[in-house]
């Protein structure tokens, strides 16, 4: 399977398919696809977990982004189990705050990881923007070493990492606020409806997170990538087309 096709499939299984399951399968009775709140959540969470395990089994490697994605999925399951084990039909009243904390935690961990080993292969900076699947890093670093510009090169990478980490800190705050916006009304509903409303809220957060948080984050990453191109080109003297891998 081609890399682009595989990436699209990963996005579908990890993001879009769980949303569709939570939206359409959380009801009880009526149609065969109405699995109920518990099984709908189980199926929705199993899709990204299964995707991550399959990628590991076939490619024999684990990427940091995959690890954080699986961690977020597992924590969603943990919070969901906690929410539904308070006794009775209602979810625990403090569930929105735990879920919001979970949403912020993943972005905070990503921001922290971004500032660790910024210059090394396998760093979060390379996973997010300075990817060896896009940039010809071997040629760039060979040129940098030949011109004794390693300290300046590392400063460029540091600046890119700080900018990306800053955008992730904003994402953490936005995720926290968005989770509370959608989940705080759930414990106020009738107890029999809360579990289903919880699933719908998780689904809405995923969609809205892509629009409200994901798109600005993507724009920021594009700006950081442009910054890297300009600074590295100025530092190495390489033309723009020499910075990237040949297509």
């Amino acid at each position: 399977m081609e890399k682009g096709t595989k990436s699209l499939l990963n996005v579908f299984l990890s993001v879009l398919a769980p949303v569709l399951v939570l939206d359409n399968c959380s009801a009880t009775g009526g149609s065969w696809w109405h699995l109920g709140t518990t099984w709908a959540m189980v199926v929705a969470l199993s899709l990204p977990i299964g995707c991550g395990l399959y990628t590991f089994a076939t490619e024999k490697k684990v990427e940091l982004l995959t690890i954080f994605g699986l961690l977020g999925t597992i924590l969603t399951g943990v919070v969901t189990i906690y929410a539904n084990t308070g006794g009775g039909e209602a979810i625990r009243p403090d569930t929105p705050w735990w879920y919001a904390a979970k949403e912020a935690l993943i972005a905070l961990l990503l921001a922290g990881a971004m500032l660790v080993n910024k210059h090394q292969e396998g760093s979060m900076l390379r996973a997010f923007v300075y990817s060896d699947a896009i940039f010809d890093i071997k040629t760039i670093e060979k040129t940098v070493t030949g011109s004794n510009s390693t300290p300046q090169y590392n400063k460029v990478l540091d600046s890119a990492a700080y900018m990306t980490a800053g955008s992730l800190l904003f994402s953490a705050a936005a995720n926290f606020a968005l989770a509370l916006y959608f989940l705080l009304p759930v414990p106020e509903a009738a107890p029999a409806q809360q579990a289903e409303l919880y699933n719908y809220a998780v689904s809405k957060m995923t969609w809205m997170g892509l629009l409200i948080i994901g798109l600005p984050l993507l724009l920021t990453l594009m700006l950081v990538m442009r910054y890297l191109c300009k600074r590295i080109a100025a530092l190495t003297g390489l033309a723009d087309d020499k910075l990237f891998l040949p297509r």
Side-chain angles (χ1 to χ4, degrees):
M1 185 181 296
E2 294 183 359
K3 189 171 183 178
T5 303
K6 186 181 296 183
S7 298
L8 289 175
L9 182 60
N10 285 342
V11 170
F12 176 77
L13 292 176
S14 299
V15 179
L16 301 181
V19 169
L20 293 173
V21 170
L22 292 174
D23 272 347
N24 297 285
C25 302
S26 294
T28 302
S31 301
W32 63 268
W33 61 82
H34 290 162
L35 305 176
T37 56
T38 300
W39 281 108
M41 182 62 74
V42 169
V43 172
L45 294 178
S46 68
L47 291 172
I49 291 176
C51 183
L53 293 176
Y54 176 78
T55 300
F56 172 72
T58 55
E59 299 184 7
K60 306 300 181 184
K61 65 178 182 179
V62 179
E63 297 180 352
L64 282 173
L65 283 178
T66 301
I67 292 174
F68 280 108
L70 288 175
L71 177 61
T73 302
I74 292 169
L75 288 177
T76 297
V78 170
V79 174
T80 300
I81 292 172
Y82 171 80
N84 289 282
T85 54
E89 296 179 306
I91 67 170
R92 291 179 183 267
D94 57 347
T95 297
W97 294 96
W98 282 109
Y99 199 98
K102 185 271 300 184
E103 288 288 282
L105 176 64
I106 299 301
L108 288 173
L109 289 175
L110 284 169
M114 182 64 62
L115 302 178
V116 177
N117 296 328
K118 301 180 289 296
H119 313 145
Q120 304 300 318
E121 183 177 354
S123 67
M124 286 300 298
L125 179 64
R126 294 199 178 186
F128 265 79
V129 286
Y130 194 42
S131 171
D132 57 7
I134 300 174
F135 288 90
D136 190 352
I137 295 179
K138 289 184 178 179
T139 297
I140 292 171
E141 294 190 341
K142 182 179 179 180
T143 305
V144 166
T145 301
S147 61
N148 295 318
S149 302
T150 300
Q152 296 92 322
Y153 174 70
N154 287 340
K155 287 182 179 180
V156 171
L157 297 185
D158 287 344
S159 297
Y162 292 139
M163 287 187 284
T164 308
S167 69
L168 288 168
L169 291 176
F170 169 79
S171 177
N175 277 330
F176 187 86
L178 193 67
L180 291 181
Y181 175 79
F182 282 114
L183 280 172
L184 281 177
V186 175
E188 299 174 0
Q193 298 177 337
Q194 289 184 21
E196 187 172 343
L197 291 175
Y198 170 83
N199 280 16
Y200 289 147
V202 171
S203 172
K204 289 178 182 177
M205 276 185 286
T206 304
W207 280 116
M208 296 301 292
L210 287 174
L211 295 175
I212 298 175
I213 302 168
L215 291 180
L217 180 59
L218 179 61
L219 177 61
T220 301
L221 295 180
M222 292 174 63
L223 292 174
V224 173
M225 185 177 292
R226 182 58 185 162
Y227 166 82
L228 283 169
C229 290
K230 292 182 66 176
R231 293 302 301 273
I232 292 175
L235 183 65
T236 61
L238 294 171
D240 284 350
D241 60 334
K242 299 297 183 181
L243 298 177
F244 302 101
L245 290 173
R247 297 296 179 184

